[in-house]
Amino acid sequence: MSGFGAAAEPAGWQLSGEVFLPEETRGAAPVGFLQQLPSYQSALRRRATAGGGTQERRAAPQGSAGLRAAAGLGPEEEDDQAAAPTARECPLTMAEKRRLRVNQQADVKHLSGGKQWRRTSSKSLKKVLSEVKEFSSYLTLWRHDIHSIEGKFGTGIQSYFSFLRFLVLLNFIIFILMFSFVTLPSIIAKYGMFNSSFAKIPPKNIESHCTVYEPSGTKGLTYFYNYLKDLLSGTGFLEVTSLFYGYYTIDAAWISIMRYNLPLAYLLATFAYLALSLIWIISRSLEGFKRNLVHAEDQFQSYCNKVFAGWDFCITDPNAARLKHRSLQYELQTDLEEERLKRKIAERTTKEKLRIYSLRIFINVIVLAVLLGCFYSIYRATVFSQENSNGVSNMNFLVNLLVQYLPSIVITTANMLAPLIFSFLIRYEDYSPAFEIRMILLRCVFVRLASIGVLLFSLWSQISSCDTDKCKACGYNYELYPCWESQVGQEMYKLMIFDFIVILAVTLFVDFPRKLLVTHCSCKLLQWFGLKEFQISDNVLEMIYGQTICWIGTFFSPLLPAIATVKYFIIFYIKKVSLIHTQKPAARPFRASSSNFFFLLVLLIGLVLALIPLGVSIAYIPSSKACGPFRNFNTSWAVVPHTVLEFPKPLQQVLYGIASEAFAVPFFMIICLVMFYFIALARAHQRVAEQLKEQLAMEGRDKQFLIRKITEAQRHP
């Protein structure tokens, strides 16, 4: 907008040195003419309310030359204050950029030797960084595949695959973190590498029956299907590997001459991967959040953006182009439908409002009943599986596996049926189309994430169920769960494996046959069903559900992120092949699907919900006395105060002071002040943005006014 300076440059509408005004207005100062501009009239109104501040601001020099003259800076002094922009960064034509580069090169000759060296080194550093960034872009995972998907199906579906790539990288970093600080030191200590050793200290003041743990490892001759069952359920030979919590029964390790505190490292690594996930998600979502704030517009601006700037120029496929046409048409119809509903809501009578609110309350009661039914089914399936999993050794292979996977099957069934019921019921609630989508997504997110919480609650109710004095002496049900952390890890492992199996089975046994039937069968019913649509929101919820399982399960199964990395890596190619060959993009896309902000926001909700069961497990539930690095502590968190007691006295006093109320209260007050400051700053920035929008709209009216005057002058010379 640098060429439209009606308010800032009263000389007229100037572009590339020409002033587009009538001939009679070019010769003399057109004071009366300029006073007719809408921006000048608006400035007069603001001046009348704000006093004479406007005149003082208008009297200040404008433009880069005015700023230089007001500051008294020559070319050399100004170069010290800020680096001159390069020709590439300036919004100029190619001829003007060439002239600017010649002038900049001429100015360099007049600088001193030190300033010439600084400018040359700065340009060289920028060039090197640009080349390194360009080279690193070629090393990006799935760069060509994602660009190909973007070209065929647009940025909406491309954002889903970019989100999937982010999950692969996140889980890989979490795996590196847990393996480096937990698994690798344990393996080195157990196998005596690098002159290392380890120690197991028996728990003190603990009954002997609480320390008995005999994993159901592979003993003697076993059949092949037992290995398959162990591989799918995490029992047997997998239970005694480094995949699960029970493997890390080490109280202290010595690597060479250095003592390694494995319990503290285990807990700190858990905090580290949670903090890393939180920081990474927030940092990636900030860009989308800023974009959402900038793009917050009214309906008229939204309509203009869709009409004049809604096309996705990355699309090269004709089918995707036709789909984009239908998508824009659907969004415009949605806008019109929302406007119609707003008018309808405004015109509702009291009787109609009472009827619709009563219907919504009734439907929400049905939704609540569906949720309670799902949660109760998960609870009963978990209790049945835990009570009968140890007594099915004599049963056949399929029954044994079915009992092991019963909670996972019930959870997956609930996740598939509940959204269908919600989609049917919401039609009668009379919401706007956009709010319908948000409400369905909210309910689906709650079902998927709350089902994991119900599973853990069911496990904890069984773990903490003690009816005898022997059990109460241990603090948990030692008979059924001698190493309860490993068994919780097995449940998370089974959920992740079953989720992957379901995704693979749906693609192979549902989507591909449906594609073949629709393509080669002329039945009208099959043609009416058509190909399955690639629903971005549903696929994102699948990924977030699996990632929440990974966050919770990593504490109980430190190598679970490695399995999640391989799982998402394979799912990328499954979804890619399914999208290209067996599915079609949705004709009614979710509006936030073109931005990763929505995905990251829901992922952040999953992380926050994952913190709750982890916090309860670490700080509240007694740790197993028969396995794991925390068997000598009442809870996993108890290792922190025990480690602090080993510090020097001055450091202990500092840490106790930080944890005391004398430090917490002033710190909380300072945080509140900082928060209020940033809130005030955000409001000030919002007011500036509103003023800039108003100025932009005023410049548009100025241009219309000038064009009208030019047209009148040309008609009546």
Side-chain angles (χ1 to χ4, degrees):
M1 302 304 297
S2 58
F4 306 127
E9 298 180 6
W13 181 11
Q14 185 171 353
L15 282 173
S16 303
E18 297 187 33
V19 181
F20 296 95
L21 288 175
E23 293 292 336
E24 61 271 13
T25 63
R26 298 188 189 183
V31 178
F33 172 75
L34 293 177
Q35 289 178 353
Q36 301 176 24
L37 289 172
S39 59
Y40 182 82
Q41 299 295 328
S42 178
L44 286 179
R45 289 193 296 270
R46 288 198 300 267
R47 190 185 309 168
T49 57
T54 307
Q55 293 180 347
E56 296 176 1
R57 288 192 294 270
R58 280 175 169 263
Q62 301 292 329
S64 60
L67 290 173
R68 181 182 297 179
L73 295 175
E76 296 183 4
E77 289 85 354
E78 188 181 8
D79 181 72
D80 293 336
Q81 299 295 328
T86 61
R88 179 182 295 181
E89 298 172 352
C90 297
L92 302 172
T93 62
M94 292 303 297
E96 292 172 339
K97 286 185 177 182
R98 294 190 185 99
R99 289 196 297 268
L100 176 62
R101 178 169 294 178
V102 171
N103 294 335
Q104 288 179 348
Q105 292 176 353
D107 291 339
V108 172
K109 299 179 181 179
H110 302 287
L111 298 177
S112 62
K115 293 179 179 179
Q116 288 185 14
W117 178 82
R118 286 200 301 270
R119 176 170 288 189
T120 304
S121 60
S122 176
K123 291 177 64 177
S124 301
L125 180 62
K126 287 183 178 180
K127 185 177 180 180
V128 170
L129 293 177
S130 176
E131 291 178 352
V132 170
K133 185 177 180 181
E134 183 178 359
F135 176 74
S136 63
S137 65
Y138 289 98
L139 302 178
T140 305
L141 182 64
W142 296 319
R143 174 176 175 269
H144 176 73
D145 295 316
I146 292 179
H147 283 177
S148 176
I149 291 171
E150 182 181 13
K152 291 182 179 179
F153 304 103
T155 56
I157 295 178
Q158 174 266 340
S159 62
Y160 163 74
F161 285 94
S162 298
F163 177 73
L164 190 55
R165 177 175 60 187
F166 165 69
L167 292 183
V168 170
L169 297 177
L170 176 63
N171 285 290
F172 181 73
I173 296 300
I174 294 176
F175 160 68
I176 294 296
L177 183 66
M178 297 298 293
F179 182 81
S180 301
F181 293 98
V182 177
T183 306
L184 186 61
S186 301
I187 295 175
I188 290 175
K190 284 193 173 185
Y191 287 93
M193 301 177 183
F194 308 110
N195 194 23
S196 60
S197 61
F198 68 97
K200 292 184 178 181
I201 303 173
K204 299 179 181 179
N205 302 323
I206 297 296
E207 298 292 337
S208 59
H209 60 268
C210 298
T211 61
V212 177
Y213 173 50
E214 296 180 358
S216 57
T218 303
K219 298 178 182 179
L221 183 64
T222 57
Y223 294 101
F224 171 75
Y225 60 79
N226 286 333
Y227 283 103
L228 182 60
K229 177 182 73 69
D230 294 341
L231 184 64
L232 293 176
S233 59
T235 56
F237 74 94
L238 274 183
E239 189 175 355
V240 296
T241 62
S242 57
L243 179 60
F244 293 109
Y245 173 92
Y247 176 83
Y248 304 93
T249 309
I250 297 177
D251 298 294
W254 285 267
I255 302 175
S256 187
I257 59 173
M258 183 184 66
R259 183 180 183 273
Y260 192 79
N261 191 343
L262 184 65
L264 182 63
Y266 198 106
L267 188 63
L268 292 181
T270 302
F271 293 156
Y273 82 75
L274 293 173
L276 172 67
S277 302
L278 179 63
I279 294 172
W280 202 347
I281 292 172
I282 291 177
S283 63
R284 286 179 63 93
S285 61
L286 282 178
E287 183 179 356
F289 181 68
K290 293 176 183 177
R291 190 182 298 115
N292 281 6
L293 289 179
V294 172
H295 290 173
E297 69 267 343
D298 55 20
Q299 285 300 116
F300 178 74
Q301 289 176 328
S302 175
Y303 172 79
C304 293
N305 288 340
K306 288 182 179 64
V307 172
F308 298 107
W311 184 251
D312 190 350
F313 288 93
C314 295
I315 296 176
T316 58
D317 186 68
N319 294 328
R322 286 192 292 271
L323 182 70
K324 185 64 178 178
H325 277 291
R326 292 197 298 269
S327 174
L328 289 174
Q329 180 183 4
Y330 163 71
E331 290 192 7
L332 292 174
Q333 290 175 349
T334 302
D335 289 339
L336 295 175
E337 180 68 15
E338 289 179 358
E339 290 297 320
R340 186 189 67 80
L341 286 176
K342 287 180 181 179
R343 293 182 180 178
K344 181 180 177 181
I345 292 172
E347 296 173 355
R348 279 177 182 166
T349 61
T350 305
K351 183 179 179 180
E352 291 176 343
K353 290 181 180 179
L354 183 61
R355 182 190 63 82
I356 192 64
Y357 290 148
S358 302
L359 182 60
R360 288 177 181 176
I361 292 173
F362 176 71
I363 292 176
N364 279 279
V365 170
I366 298 177
V367 170
L368 184 61
V370 171
L371 293 175
L372 292 177
C374 293
F375 296 156
Y376 182 74
S377 302
I378 295 170
Y379 174 78
R380 295 305 308 169
T382 304
V383 172
F384 178 83
S385 176
Q386 295 298 311
E387 290 178 348
N388 295 276
S389 59
N390 295 327
V392 296
S393 57
N394 297 326
M395 297 183 185
N396 59 46
F397 168 70
L398 291 178
V399 175
N400 195 328
L401 196 62
L402 181 63
V403 173
Q404 293 277 350
Y405 267 89
L406 187 59
S408 302
I409 294 173
V410 174
I411 289 175
T412 303
T413 304
N415 292 339
M416 295 176 64
L417 294 181
L420 298 177
I421 298 174
F422 297 156
S423 300
F424 174 76
L425 292 176
I426 204 168
R427 301 175 185 174
Y428 302 98
E429 296 187 71
D430 201 14
Y431 291 126
S432 65
F435 189 79
E436 270 188 19
I437 295 176
R438 287 194 291 267
M439 180 62 71
I440 292 176
L441 286 176
L442 180 63
R443 291 170 177 172
C444 293
V445 168
F446 183 76
V447 169
R448 286 183 177 271
L449 300 184
S451 61
I452 304 174
V454 173
L455 172 65
L456 293 173
F457 172 78
S458 306
L459 289 173
W460 289 334
S461 65
Q462 295 292 306
I463 293 169
S464 59
S465 176
C466 288
D467 298 328
T468 62
D469 294 336
K470 284 187 175 182
C471 178
K472 293 179 181 178
C474 300
Y476 59 94
N477 191 344
Y478 75 96
E479 295 178 346
L480 190 59
Y481 303 96
C483 184
W484 65 265
E485 291 92 345
S486 289
Q487 288 171 288
V488 172
Q490 289 170 1
E491 292 298 328
M492 297 296 104
Y493 173 82
K494 286 185 285 188
L495 279 176
M496 180 166 290
I497 295 298
F498 190 73
D499 183 55
F500 174 73
I501 292 174
V502 168
I503 293 174
L504 183 61
V506 168
T507 303
L508 293 177
F509 303 114
V510 177
D511 294 343
F512 272 106
R514 181 173 177 176
K515 164 73 174 180
L516 294 175
L517 290 174
V518 171
T519 305
H520 301 287
C521 184
S522 59
C523 177
K524 293 184 178 180
L525 182 61
L526 292 175
Q527 296 299 323
W528 180 76
F529 274 104
L531 296 177
K532 181 181 178 181
E533 291 187 346
F534 189 88
Q535 295 290 346
I536 298 176
S537 57
D538 294 343
N539 285 279
V540 168
L541 291 181
E542 285 181 357
M543 298 300 103
I544 293 173
Y545 166 75
Q547 186 59 38
T548 306
I549 294 172
C550 180
W551 277 323
I552 296 174
T554 301
F555 178 76
F556 310 102
S557 177
L559 296 186
L560 198 62
I563 300 175
T565 303
V566 176
K567 169 190 169 184
Y568 289 136
F569 190 87
I570 298 174
I571 284 177
F572 180 90
Y573 291 101
I574 293 175
K575 293 295 183 181
K576 177 188 173 184
V577 173
S578 179
L579 172 66
I580 295 174
H581 297 288
T582 66
Q583 297 184 9
K584 62 180 181 179
R588 299 175 57 181
F590 180 58
R591 293 181 179 178
S593 62
S594 60
S595 173
N596 282 331
F597 176 68
F598 166 71
F599 305 157
L600 295 170
L601 179 62
V602 181
L603 186 64
L604 185 61
I605 295 174
L607 177 59
V608 172
L609 294 179
L611 293 175
I612 299 174
L614 282 177
V616 173
S617 301
I618 292 173
Y620 179 72
I621 300 180
S623 57
S624 296
K625 303 303 183 290
C627 69
F630 305 107
R631 61 178 187 156
N632 283 295
F633 303 97
N634 187 33
T635 60
S636 302
W637 175 254
V639 68
V640 175
H642 181 269
T643 305
V644 171
L645 292 176
E646 299 177 356
F647 291 164
K649 286 292 183 181
L651 183 57
Q652 290 185 31
Q653 293 176 357
V654 171
L655 294 176
Y656 288 141
I658 293 176
S660 65
E661 296 179 355
F663 177 83
V665 174
F667 180 76
F668 177 75
M669 295 178 64
I670 293 173
I671 291 296
C672 290
L673 291 176
V674 172
M675 182 180 65
F676 291 149
Y677 166 75
F678 279 108
I679 290 175
L681 188 64
R683 290 177 178 174
H685 288 168
Q686 185 178 5
R687 287 195 295 269
V688 171
E690 292 174 355
Q691 292 175 1
L692 291 175
K693 287 183 179 180
E694 181 183 355
Q695 181 181 353
L696 188 63
M698 194 64 65
E699 288 180 355
R701 286 193 284 269
D702 283 350
K703 286 183 283 185
Q704 294 177 359
F705 176 79
L706 291 173
I707 291 173
R708 187 167 60 252
K709 288 295 183 180
I710 292 172
T711 305
E712 293 177 357
Q714 290 175 350
R715 290 178 179 176
H716 307 286

